[in-house]
Amino acid sequence: MLNMIKADLYRILKGKAIYFVLGIIIILSLISAIGVTPGHIGMTSVTSATINIEDQEFMEKLSKVNSISGIRKLMKSYGGFELDRAVIGTNMNLYYMFIVVVVVVLCVDFSNKSIKNTLSSAISRKKYYWSKAILIYILCTILVLFNNYFFYFLNLAINGKDFASPFGNILKLTVIQLPLLYGITSLLICFAFMFKRISTFNTVSIPFIMIIQLIALGITNLFRIKIDYFYQYEMQNALGNLVNNPTNNYILNCTILGLVYIVVFHIIGYNTFKNAEIK
């Protein structure tokens, strides 16, 4: 298993995909640091809760500014807030980076049909499954740490201490988000073993989170049904809530939810792979 992980890691580091992902993280971090506002991918928007500003009049002014320089000038005039905390609250952005990781670690084997040769050797399906899953977790953890700490130091250099959290808080926020981020990773691993080919995997995984959000929004608007519990623990909202001084009970619930996702998605993914015909 260790040799498989080493071989895959060598292949990935020799390729361009992982450096492309790091480049995207750097670009998003620069935009957030210069604009003094967390960037996001998804249906949620930057709100007073996201950046911990309660002045509604100020937030209305912010919503009307349409340039990065204008946003920066307005945000700097506010007097300071923990921008790095707000950026970590938008870590659902990393979902799309995790997709790339799963593709280069796993889906490439299915699309290139190299998996058949691998399994025809002395490597069992169980060993193959867990070597891929472990490497994906390692790479995704590195991306989370790089994203959080790169932005912390970049923000400190560009915006100063008034817009930075205490150093130890970054580690705390990272740790309490990890169970949900690992849950998201497990979902993508499950998708990869279910759909196999890169094109099918991308077709399902890329719009998946937005589709779930749209369905929930449609149910709310069409049937006038309140699904507050769903919104409270929906991935994108939950990752944001976890950085805004949540209760210990909420942190525990999110941790349990993340662990449930990990167990359920691995059961589905492994059993799908174990019973699948490899062509």
Side-chain angles (χ1 to χ4, degrees), residues 117-202:
N117 294 332
T118 303
L119 294 177
S120 64
S121 62
I123 296 172
S124 67
R125 293 199 182 200
K126 182 178 181 180
K127 185 179 290 186
Y128 179 90
Y129 180 93
W130 287 110
S131 67
K132 294 292 185 179
I134 289 170
L135 179 56
I136 289 169
Y137 280 124
I138 290 172
L139 292 175
C140 288
T141 302
I142 291 171
L143 289 183
V144 172
L145 293 172
F146 178 79
N147 177 76
N148 291 1
Y149 280 99
F150 175 79
F151 184 81
Y152 174 79
F153 289 111
L154 179 69
N155 175 54
L156 199 61
I158 293 177
N159 298 314
K161 293 182 179 179
D162 288 343
F163 291 87
S165 306
F167 182 81
N169 283 6
I170 302 302
L171 179 60
K172 176 184 175 182
L173 296 175
T174 302
V175 169
I176 64 176
Q177 279 191 341
L178 276 178
L180 281 181
L181 291 171
Y182 285 154
I184 294 169
T185 305
S186 303
L187 168 67
L188 292 173
I189 293 171
C190 178
F191 279 171
F193 279 107
M194 288 175 65
F195 302 112
K196 300 179 180 67
R197 297 183 67 84
I198 294 174
S199 57
T200 310
F201 171 76
N202 285 339

Coordinates of all heavy atoms in Angstrom, one line a residue, residues 117-202:
N117 N -4.7 -3.4 -15.1 CA -3.4 -4.0 -14.9 C -2.9 -4.0 -13.5 O -2.2 -4.9 -13.0 CB -2.4 -3.2 -15.8 CG -2.6 -3.3 -17.3 OD1 -3.1 -4.4 -17.7 ND2 -2.3 -2.3 -18.0
T118 N -3.3 -3.0 -12.8 CA -2.9 -2.9 -11.3 C -3.5 -4.0 -10.5 O -2.9 -4.6 -9.7 CB -3.3 -1.5 -10.8 OG1 -2.7 -0.4 -11.5 CG2 -2.9 -1.4 -9.3
L119 N -4.8 -4.2 -10.8 CA -5.6 -5.2 -10.0 C -5.2 -6.6 -10.4 O -5.4 -7.6 -9.7 CB -7.1 -5.0 -10.1 CG -7.6 -3.7 -9.5 CD1 -9.1 -3.6 -9.8 CD2 -7.3 -3.7 -8.0
S120 N -4.7 -6.8 -11.6 CA -4.3 -8.1 -12.1 C -3.0 -8.6 -11.5 O -2.6 -9.8 -11.6 CB -4.2 -8.2 -13.6 OG -3.2 -7.3 -14.1
S121 N -2.3 -7.7 -10.9 CA -1.0 -8.0 -10.2 C -1.4 -8.5 -8.8 O -2.5 -8.9 -8.5 CB -0.1 -6.8 -10.1 OG -0.7 -5.7 -9.4
A122 N -0.5 -8.4 -7.8 CA -0.7 -8.9 -6.5 C -1.5 -7.9 -5.6 O -1.7 -8.2 -4.4 CB 0.6 -9.2 -5.8
I123 N -2.0 -6.9 -6.1 CA -2.7 -5.8 -5.3 C -4.2 -6.2 -5.3 O -4.9 -6.3 -6.3 CB -2.5 -4.4 -5.9 CG1 -1.0 -4.1 -5.8 CG2 -3.3 -3.4 -5.2 CD1 -0.7 -2.8 -6.6
S124 N -4.8 -6.3 -4.1 CA -6.2 -6.5 -3.9 C -7.0 -5.3 -4.1 O -6.5 -4.2 -4.0 CB -6.4 -7.1 -2.5 OG -6.2 -6.1 -1.5
R125 N -8.3 -5.5 -4.3 CA -9.2 -4.3 -4.4 C -9.2 -3.5 -3.1 O -9.3 -2.3 -3.1 CB -10.6 -4.7 -4.8 CG -10.7 -5.3 -6.2 CD -12.1 -5.3 -6.7 NE -12.2 -5.9 -8.0 CZ -13.2 -5.8 -8.9 NH1 -14.2 -5.0 -8.5 NH2 -13.1 -6.4 -10.0
K126 N -9.2 -4.2 -2.0 CA -9.2 -3.5 -0.7 C -7.9 -2.6 -0.5 O -8.0 -1.4 -0.1 CB -9.2 -4.5 0.4 CG -9.3 -3.9 1.8 CD -9.4 -5.0 2.9 CE -9.5 -4.3 4.3 NZ -9.6 -5.4 5.3
K127 N -6.8 -3.1 -0.9 CA -5.5 -2.4 -0.8 C -5.6 -1.2 -1.7 O -5.1 -0.1 -1.4 CB -4.3 -3.3 -1.0 CG -3.0 -2.6 -0.8 CD -1.8 -3.6 -1.1 CE -1.7 -4.6 -0.1 NZ -0.5 -5.5 -0.2
Y128 N -6.1 -1.5 -2.9 CA -6.1 -0.4 -3.9 C -7.0 0.7 -3.4 O -6.7 1.9 -3.5 CB -6.7 -1.0 -5.3 CG -6.8 0.1 -6.4 CD1 -5.8 0.3 -7.2 CD2 -8.0 0.8 -6.5 CE1 -5.9 1.3 -8.2 CE2 -8.1 1.8 -7.5 CZ -7.0 2.0 -8.4 OH -7.1 3.0 -9.3
Y129 N -8.2 0.4 -3.0 CA -9.2 1.4 -2.5 C -8.6 2.2 -1.4 O -8.7 3.5 -1.5 CB -10.5 0.6 -2.0 CG -11.5 1.6 -1.5 CD1 -12.5 2.0 -2.3 CD2 -11.5 2.1 -0.2 CE1 -13.5 2.9 -1.9 CE2 -12.5 3.0 0.3 CZ -13.5 3.4 -0.6 OH -14.4 4.3 -0.1
W130 N -8.0 1.6 -0.4 CA -7.6 2.4 0.7 C -6.3 3.2 0.5 O -6.1 4.3 1.0 CB -7.4 1.5 2.0 CG -8.8 1.2 2.5 CD1 -9.4 -0.1 2.5 CD2 -9.7 2.1 3.1 NE1 -10.6 0.0 3.1 CE2 -10.9 1.3 3.4 CE3 -9.7 3.4 3.4 CZ2 -12.0 1.9 4.0 CZ3 -10.9 4.0 4.0 CH2 -12.0 3.2 4.3
S131 N -5.5 2.7 -0.4 CA -4.3 3.4 -0.8 C -4.7 4.7 -1.5 O -4.1 5.8 -1.3 CB -3.3 2.6 -1.7 OG -3.9 2.3 -2.9
K132 N -5.7 4.6 -2.4 CA -6.1 5.8 -3.1 C -6.8 6.8 -2.1 O -6.6 8.0 -2.2 CB -7.1 5.4 -4.2 CG -6.5 4.6 -5.3 CD -5.6 5.4 -6.2 CE -5.0 4.7 -7.4 NZ -4.1 5.5 -8.2
A133 N -7.7 6.2 -1.3 CA -8.4 7.1 -0.3 C -7.5 7.8 0.6 O -7.6 9.0 0.9 CB -9.4 6.3 0.5
I134 N -6.4 7.1 1.1 CA -5.5 7.7 2.1 C -4.7 8.8 1.4 O -4.5 9.9 2.0 CB -4.5 6.6 2.6 CG1 -5.3 5.7 3.6 CG2 -3.4 7.3 3.4 CD1 -4.5 4.5 4.0
L135 N -4.3 8.6 0.2 CA -3.5 9.6 -0.6 C -4.4 10.8 -0.8 O -3.9 12.0 -0.7 CB -3.0 9.1 -1.9 CG -2.2 10.1 -2.7 CD1 -1.0 10.7 -2.0 CD2 -1.7 9.4 -4.0
I136 N -5.6 10.6 -1.2 CA -6.6 11.7 -1.4 C -6.7 12.6 -0.1 O -6.7 13.8 -0.2 CB -7.9 11.2 -1.9 CG1 -7.8 10.7 -3.4 CG2 -9.0 12.3 -1.9 CD1 -9.0 10.0 -3.9
Y137 N -6.9 11.9 1.0 CA -7.0 12.6 2.3 C -5.8 13.4 2.6 O -5.8 14.5 3.1 CB -7.3 11.6 3.4 CG -8.7 11.1 3.5 CD1 -9.0 9.8 3.5 CD2 -9.8 12.1 3.7 CE1 -10.4 9.4 3.6 CE2 -11.1 11.6 3.8 CZ -11.4 10.3 3.7 OH -12.7 9.9 3.8
I138 N -4.6 12.8 2.3 CA -3.3 13.5 2.6 C -3.3 14.8 1.8 O -2.9 15.9 2.3 CB -2.1 12.6 2.3 CG1 -2.1 11.5 3.4 CG2 -0.8 13.4 2.3 CD1 -1.0 10.4 3.0
L139 N -3.5 14.6 0.5 CA -3.4 15.8 -0.4 C -4.5 16.9 -0.1 O -4.1 18.1 -0.1 CB -3.6 15.3 -1.9 CG -2.4 14.5 -2.4 CD1 -2.7 14.0 -3.8 CD2 -1.1 15.3 -2.4
C140 N -5.7 16.4 0.2 CA -6.7 17.4 0.6 C -6.4 18.1 1.9 O -6.6 19.3 2.0 CB -8.1 16.7 0.7 SG -8.7 16.2 -1.0
T141 N -5.8 17.4 2.8 CA -5.4 18.0 4.1 C -4.3 19.1 3.8 O -4.3 20.2 4.4 CB -4.8 17.0 5.1 OG1 -5.8 16.0 5.3 CG2 -4.4 17.6 6.4
I142 N -3.3 18.8 3.0 CA -2.3 19.7 2.6 C -2.9 21.0 2.0 O -2.5 22.1 2.3 CB -1.3 19.1 1.6 CG1 -0.5 18.0 2.4 CG2 -0.3 20.1 1.0 CD1 0.4 17.2 1.5
L143 N -3.9 20.8 1.1 CA -4.5 21.9 0.5 C -5.3 22.8 1.5 O -5.2 24.0 1.4 CB -5.5 21.5 -0.6 CG -5.0 20.9 -1.9 CD1 -6.1 20.5 -2.9 CD2 -4.0 21.8 -2.6
V144 N -5.9 22.2 2.5 CA -6.6 23.0 3.5 C -5.6 23.8 4.3 O -5.8 25.0 4.5 CB -7.4 22.0 4.4 CG1 -7.9 22.8 5.6 CG2 -8.5 21.3 3.7
L145 N -4.5 23.1 4.7 CA -3.5 23.8 5.5 C -2.8 24.9 4.7 O -2.6 26.1 5.2 CB -2.4 22.8 6.0 CG -2.9 21.8 7.0 CD1 -1.8 20.8 7.3 CD2 -3.3 22.5 8.3
F146 N -2.5 24.7 3.4 CA -1.9 25.7 2.6 C -2.9 26.9 2.4 O -2.5 28.0 2.5 CB -1.6 25.1 1.2 CG -1.0 26.1 0.2 CD1 0.3 26.5 0.3 CD2 -1.8 26.6 -0.7 CE1 0.9 27.4 -0.5 CE2 -1.3 27.6 -1.6 CZ 0.1 28.0 -1.5
N147 N -4.1 26.6 2.1 CA -5.1 27.6 1.9 C -5.3 28.5 3.1 O -5.2 29.7 3.1 CB -6.5 27.0 1.6 CG -7.6 28.0 1.5 OD1 -7.7 28.7 0.4 ND2 -8.4 28.1 2.5
N148 N -5.4 27.9 4.3 CA -5.6 28.7 5.5 C -4.4 29.5 6.0 O -4.5 30.7 6.3 CB -6.0 27.7 6.7 CG -7.4 27.1 6.4 OD1 -8.1 27.4 5.4 ND2 -7.9 26.3 7.4
Y149 N -3.2 28.8 5.9 CA -2.0 29.5 6.4 C -1.4 30.4 5.4 O -0.8 31.5 5.8 CB -1.0 28.5 7.0 CG -1.4 28.0 8.3 CD1 -2.0 26.8 8.5 CD2 -1.1 28.8 9.5 CE1 -2.4 26.3 9.8 CE2 -1.5 28.3 10.7 CZ -2.1 27.1 10.9 OH -2.5 26.7 12.1
F150 N -1.5 30.1 4.1 CA -1.0 31.0 3.1 C -1.8 32.3 3.2 O -1.2 33.4 3.2 CB -1.1 30.4 1.7 CG -0.7 31.4 0.6 CD1 0.6 31.6 0.3 CD2 -1.7 32.1 -0.1 CE1 1.0 32.5 -0.7 CE2 -1.4 33.0 -1.1 CZ 0.0 33.2 -1.4
F151 N -3.1 32.2 3.3 CA -3.9 33.4 3.4 C -3.6 34.2 4.7 O -3.6 35.4 4.7 CB -5.4 33.2 3.3 CG -6.2 34.5 3.3 CD1 -6.3 35.2 2.1 CD2 -6.8 35.0 4.5 CE1 -7.0 36.4 2.1 CE2 -7.4 36.2 4.5 CZ -7.6 36.9 3.3
Y152 N -3.4 33.5 5.8 CA -3.2 34.1 7.1 C -1.9 35.1 6.9 O -2.0 36.2 7.3 CB -2.9 33.1 8.2 CG -2.5 33.7 9.5 CD1 -3.4 34.3 10.3 CD2 -1.1 33.8 9.8 CE1 -3.0 34.9 11.5 CE2 -0.7 34.3 11.0 CZ -1.6 34.9 11.8 OH -1.2 35.5 13.0
F153 N -0.8 34.5 6.4 CA 0.4 35.3 6.3 C 0.3 36.4 5.2 O 0.8 37.5 5.4 CB 1.6 34.4 6.1 CG 2.0 33.6 7.3 CD1 1.8 32.2 7.3 CD2 2.5 34.2 8.4 CE1 2.1 31.5 8.4 CE2 2.8 33.5 9.5 CZ 2.6 32.1 9.5
L154 N -0.4 36.1 4.1 CA -0.6 37.1 3.0 C -1.5 38.2 3.6 O -1.1 39.4 3.3 CB -1.3 36.4 1.9 CG -1.6 37.3 0.7 CD1 -0.3 37.7 0.0 CD2 -2.6 36.6 -0.3
N155 N -2.5 37.9 4.3 CA -3.4 39.0 4.8 C -2.7 39.8 5.8 O -2.8 41.0 5.9 CB -4.6 38.3 5.5 CG -5.5 39.3 6.1 OD1 -6.0 40.2 5.6 ND2 -5.8 39.0 7.4
L156 N -1.9 39.2 6.6 CA -1.1 39.9 7.6 C -0.1 40.9 7.0 O 0.0 42.0 7.4 CB -0.3 38.9 8.5 CG 0.2 39.4 9.9 CD1 -0.9 39.8 10.8 CD2 1.0 38.3 10.5
A157 N 0.5 40.4 5.9 CA 1.4 41.3 5.2 C 0.7 42.4 4.4 O 1.3 43.6 4.4 CB 2.2 40.5 4.2
I158 N -0.4 42.2 3.8 CA -1.1 43.2 3.0 C -2.0 44.1 3.9 O -2.0 45.4 3.7 CB -2.0 42.5 1.9 CG1 -1.1 41.8 0.9 CG2 -2.8 43.6 1.2 CD1 -1.8 41.1 -0.2
N159 N -2.7 43.6 4.9 CA -3.7 44.3 5.6 C -3.3 44.6 7.0 O -4.0 45.5 7.7 CB -5.1 43.6 5.5 CG -5.6 43.5 4.1 OD1 -5.5 44.5 3.3 ND2 -6.0 42.3 3.7
G160 N -2.3 44.0 7.6 CA -1.9 44.2 8.9 C -2.7 43.5 10.0 O -3.7 42.8 9.7
K161 N -2.3 43.7 11.2 CA -2.9 43.0 12.4 C -4.4 43.3 12.6 O -5.1 42.5 13.2 CB -2.1 43.3 13.6 CG -0.7 42.7 13.6 CD 0.1 43.0 14.9 CE 1.5 42.4 14.9 NZ 2.2 42.7 16.2
D162 N -4.8 44.5 12.2 CA -6.2 44.9 12.4 C -7.2 43.9 11.7 O -8.4 43.8 12.1 CB -6.5 46.3 12.0 CG -5.8 47.3 12.9 OD1 -5.5 47.0 14.0 OD2 -5.7 48.5 12.5
F163 N -6.7 43.2 10.7 CA -7.6 42.3 9.9 C -7.2 40.9 10.1 O -7.6 40.0 9.2 CB -7.5 42.7 8.4 CG -8.2 44.1 8.1 CD1 -7.5 45.3 8.3 CD2 -9.5 44.1 7.8 CE1 -8.1 46.5 8.0 CE2 -10.1 45.4 7.6 CZ -9.4 46.5 7.7
A164 N -6.4 40.6 11.1 CA -5.9 39.2 11.3 C -6.3 38.7 12.7 O -6.5 39.4 13.6 CB -4.4 39.2 11.2
S165 N -6.5 37.3 12.7 CA -6.8 36.6 13.9 C -5.6 36.3 14.7 O -4.5 36.3 14.1 CB -7.6 35.3 13.6 OG -8.7 35.6 12.8
P166 N -5.6 35.9 16.0 CA -4.5 35.4 16.6 C -4.1 34.1 15.9 O -4.9 33.3 15.5 CB -5.0 35.1 18.1 CG -6.2 36.0 18.2 CD -6.8 36.2 16.9
F167 N -2.8 33.8 15.9 CA -2.2 32.7 15.1 C -2.8 31.4 15.5 O -3.2 30.6 14.6 CB -0.7 32.7 15.3 CG 0.0 31.6 14.5 CD1 0.2 31.7 13.1 CD2 0.3 30.4 15.1 CE1 0.8 30.7 12.4 CE2 0.9 29.3 14.4 CZ 1.2 29.5 13.0
G168 N -3.0 31.2 16.8 CA -3.5 29.9 17.3 C -5.0 29.6 16.8 O -5.4 28.5 16.7
N169 N -5.7 30.7 16.6 CA -7.1 30.5 16.2 C -7.2 29.9 14.8 O -8.2 29.2 14.5 CB -7.8 31.9 16.1 CG -8.2 32.4 17.5 OD1 -7.8 31.8 18.5 ND2 -8.9 33.5 17.6
I170 N -6.2 30.1 13.9 CA -6.3 29.5 12.6 C -6.2 28.0 12.7 O -7.0 27.3 12.0 CB -5.1 30.0 11.7 CG1 -5.1 31.5 11.6 CG2 -5.1 29.4 10.4 CD1 -6.4 32.1 11.0
L171 N -5.4 27.5 13.6 CA -5.3 26.0 13.8 C -6.6 25.5 14.4 O -7.1 24.4 13.9 CB -4.2 25.7 14.7 CG -4.0 24.2 15.1 CD1 -3.8 23.4 13.8 CD2 -2.9 24.0 16.1
K172 N -7.2 26.2 15.3 CA -8.5 25.8 15.9 C -9.6 25.7 14.9 O -10.3 24.7 14.8 CB -8.9 26.8 17.0 CG -10.2 26.5 17.7 CD -10.6 27.5 18.7 CE -12.0 27.3 19.2 NZ -12.4 28.3 20.2
L173 N -9.7 26.8 14.1 CA -10.7 26.8 13.0 C -10.5 25.7 12.0 O -11.5 25.1 11.5 CB -10.7 28.2 12.3 CG -11.1 29.4 13.2 CD1 -10.9 30.7 12.4 CD2 -12.5 29.2 13.7
T174 N -9.2 25.4 11.7 CA -8.9 24.3 10.7 C -9.4 23.0 11.3 O -10.0 22.2 10.6 CB -7.4 24.3 10.5 OG1 -7.0 25.6 9.9 CG2 -7.1 23.2 9.5
V175 N -9.1 22.7 12.5 CA -9.4 21.4 13.2 C -10.9 21.2 13.2 O -11.4 20.1 12.9 CB -8.8 21.4 14.6 CG1 -9.3 20.1 15.3 CG2 -7.3 21.3 14.5
I176 N -11.7 22.2 13.6 CA -13.1 22.0 13.7 C -13.8 21.9 12.4 O -14.9 21.3 12.3 CB -13.8 23.1 14.6 CG1 -13.7 24.5 13.9 CG2 -13.2 23.1 16.0 CD1 -14.5 25.6 14.7
Q177 N -13.2 22.4 11.3 CA -13.8 22.2 10.0 C -13.4 20.9 9.3 O -14.1 20.4 8.4 CB -13.3 23.4 9.1 CG -14.1 24.7 9.2 CD -13.7 25.6 8.1 OE1 -12.7 25.5 7.4 NE2 -14.6 26.6 7.8
L178 N -12.3 20.3 9.8 CA -11.8 19.1 9.1 C -12.8 17.9 9.0 O -12.9 17.3 7.9 CB -10.5 18.6 9.8 CG -9.2 19.3 9.3 CD1 -8.0 18.8 10.1 CD2 -9.0 19.2 7.8
P179 N -13.6 17.6 10.0 CA -14.5 16.5 9.8 C -15.5 16.7 8.7 O -15.7 15.8 7.9 CB -15.2 16.4 11.2 CG -14.3 17.0 12.2 CD -13.5 18.1 11.4
L180 N -16.0 17.9 8.5 CA -16.9 18.2 7.4 C -16.1 18.2 6.1 O -16.7 17.6 5.1 CB -17.6 19.5 7.6 CG -18.8 19.5 8.5 CD1 -19.4 20.9 8.6 CD2 -19.9 18.5 8.1
L181 N -14.9 18.7 6.1 CA -14.1 18.7 4.8 C -13.8 17.3 4.4 O -13.7 16.9 3.2 CB -12.9 19.6 5.0 CG -13.1 21.1 5.1 CD1 -11.9 21.8 5.5 CD2 -13.7 21.6 3.8
Y182 N -13.5 16.4 5.4 CA -13.2 15.0 5.1 C -14.5 14.3 4.7 O -14.4 13.4 3.8 CB -12.7 14.3 6.4 CG -11.2 14.6 6.7 CD1 -10.7 14.5 8.0 CD2 -10.3 15.0 5.7 CE1 -9.4 14.8 8.3 CE2 -9.0 15.3 6.0 CZ -8.6 15.2 7.3 OH -7.2 15.5 7.5
G183 N -15.6 14.8 5.2 CA -16.9 14.2 4.7 C -17.1 14.5 3.2 O -17.6 13.7 2.5
I184 N -16.8 15.8 2.8 CA -16.9 16.2 1.4 C -16.0 15.3 0.6 O -16.3 14.9 -0.5 CB -16.6 17.7 1.3 CG1 -17.6 18.5 2.0 CG2 -16.4 18.1 -0.2 CD1 -17.2 20.0 2.1
T185 N -14.7 15.1 1.1 CA -13.7 14.3 0.4 C -14.2 12.9 0.2 O -14.1 12.3 -0.9 CB -12.4 14.3 1.2 OG1 -12.0 15.7 1.4 CG2 -11.3 13.6 0.4
S186 N -14.9 12.3 1.2 CA -15.4 11.0 1.2 C -16.5 10.9 0.1 O -16.6 9.9 -0.6 CB -15.9 10.5 2.5 OG -14.9 10.6 3.5
L187 N -17.3 11.9 0.0 CA -18.4 12.0 -1.0 C -17.7 11.9 -2.4 O -18.2 11.1 -3.3 CB -19.2 13.3 -0.9 CG -20.1 13.6 -2.0 CD1 -21.3 12.6 -2.1 CD2 -20.7 15.0 -1.9
L188 N -16.7 12.6 -2.6 CA -16.0 12.6 -4.0 C -15.4 11.3 -4.2 O -15.4 10.8 -5.4 CB -15.0 13.8 -4.0 CG -15.6 15.2 -4.0 CD1 -14.5 16.2 -3.9 CD2 -16.5 15.4 -5.3
I189 N -14.8 10.7 -3.2 CA -14.2 9.4 -3.4 C -15.3 8.4 -3.8 O -15.1 7.5 -4.7 CB -13.4 8.9 -2.1 CG1 -12.2 9.8 -1.9 CG2 -13.0 7.4 -2.2 CD1 -11.6 9.6 -0.5
C190 N -16.4 8.4 -3.1 CA -17.5 7.6 -3.4 C -18.0 7.8 -4.9 O -18.2 6.8 -5.6 CB -18.7 7.9 -2.5 SG -20.2 6.9 -2.8
F191 N -18.1 9.0 -5.3 CA -18.5 9.4 -6.7 C -17.5 8.8 -7.7 O -17.9 8.2 -8.7 CB -18.6 10.9 -6.9 CG -19.9 11.5 -6.4 CD1 -20.0 12.9 -6.3 CD2 -21.0 10.7 -6.0 CE1 -21.2 13.5 -5.9 CE2 -22.1 11.3 -5.5 CZ -22.2 12.7 -5.5
A192 N -16.2 8.9 -7.4 CA -15.2 8.4 -8.3 C -15.3 6.9 -8.5 O -15.2 6.4 -9.6 CB -13.8 8.8 -7.8
F193 N -15.6 6.1 -7.4 CA -15.7 4.7 -7.6 C -17.0 4.3 -8.2 O -17.1 3.2 -8.8 CB -15.5 4.0 -6.2 CG -14.1 3.9 -5.8 CD1 -13.5 4.6 -4.9 CD2 -13.2 2.9 -6.5 CE1 -12.2 4.5 -4.5 CE2 -11.9 2.8 -6.1 CZ -11.4 3.6 -5.2
M194 N -18.0 5.1 -8.1 CA -19.3 4.9 -8.7 C -19.4 5.2 -10.2 O -19.9 4.4 -11.0 CB -20.4 5.7 -8.0 CG -20.8 5.2 -6.6 SD -22.0 6.3 -5.7 CE -23.4 6.1 -6.8
F195 N -18.8 6.3 -10.5 CA -18.9 6.8 -11.9 C -17.7 6.6 -12.7 O -17.7 6.7 -14.0 CB -19.3 8.3 -11.9 CG -20.6 8.5 -11.2 CD1 -20.6 9.3 -10.0 CD2 -21.8 8.1 -11.7 CE1 -21.8 9.5 -9.3 CE2 -23.0 8.3 -11.0 CZ -23.0 9.0 -9.8
K196 N -16.5 6.4 -12.1 CA -15.3 5.9 -12.7 C -14.6 6.9 -13.7 O -13.6 7.5 -13.4 CB -15.5 4.6 -13.4 CG -15.9 3.5 -12.4 CD -16.1 2.2 -13.1 CE -16.5 1.1 -12.2 NZ -17.9 1.3 -11.6
R197 N -15.2 7.1 -14.8 CA -14.6 7.9 -15.9 C -14.6 9.4 -15.5 O -15.5 9.9 -14.8 CB -15.3 7.7 -17.2 CG -15.2 6.2 -17.7 CD -15.9 6.1 -19.1 NE -15.1 6.8 -20.1 CZ -14.1 6.3 -20.7 NH1 -13.6 5.1 -20.5 NH2 -13.5 7.0 -21.7
I198 N -13.5 10.1 -15.9 CA -13.4 11.5 -15.6 C -14.6 12.3 -16.0 O -15.1 13.1 -15.3 CB -12.1 12.1 -16.2 CG1 -10.8 11.4 -15.6 CG2 -12.0 13.6 -16.0 CD1 -9.5 11.8 -16.3
S199 N -15.0 12.1 -17.3 CA -16.1 12.9 -17.8 C -17.4 12.8 -17.0 O -18.1 13.7 -16.6 CB -16.4 12.6 -19.3 OG -16.7 11.2 -19.4
T200 N -17.7 11.5 -16.6 CA -18.9 11.3 -15.8 C -18.8 11.8 -14.4 O -19.7 12.4 -13.9 CB -19.2 9.8 -15.8 OG1 -19.2 9.2 -17.1 CG2 -20.6 9.5 -15.2
F201 N -17.6 11.6 -13.8 CA -17.4 12.1 -12.5 C -17.5 13.6 -12.4 O -18.2 14.1 -11.5 CB -16.0 11.6 -12.0 CG -15.5 12.3 -10.8 CD1 -16.0 11.8 -9.5 CD2 -14.6 13.3 -10.8 CE1 -15.6 12.4 -8.3 CE2 -14.2 13.9 -9.6 CZ -14.7 13.5 -8.4
N202 N -16.9 14.3 -13.4 CA -17.0 15.7 -13.4 C -18.4 16.2 -13.6 O -18.8 17.2 -13.0 CB -16.1 16.3 -14.5 CG -14.6 16.3 -14.1 OD1 -14.2 16.1 -12.9 ND2 -13.7 16.3 -15.1

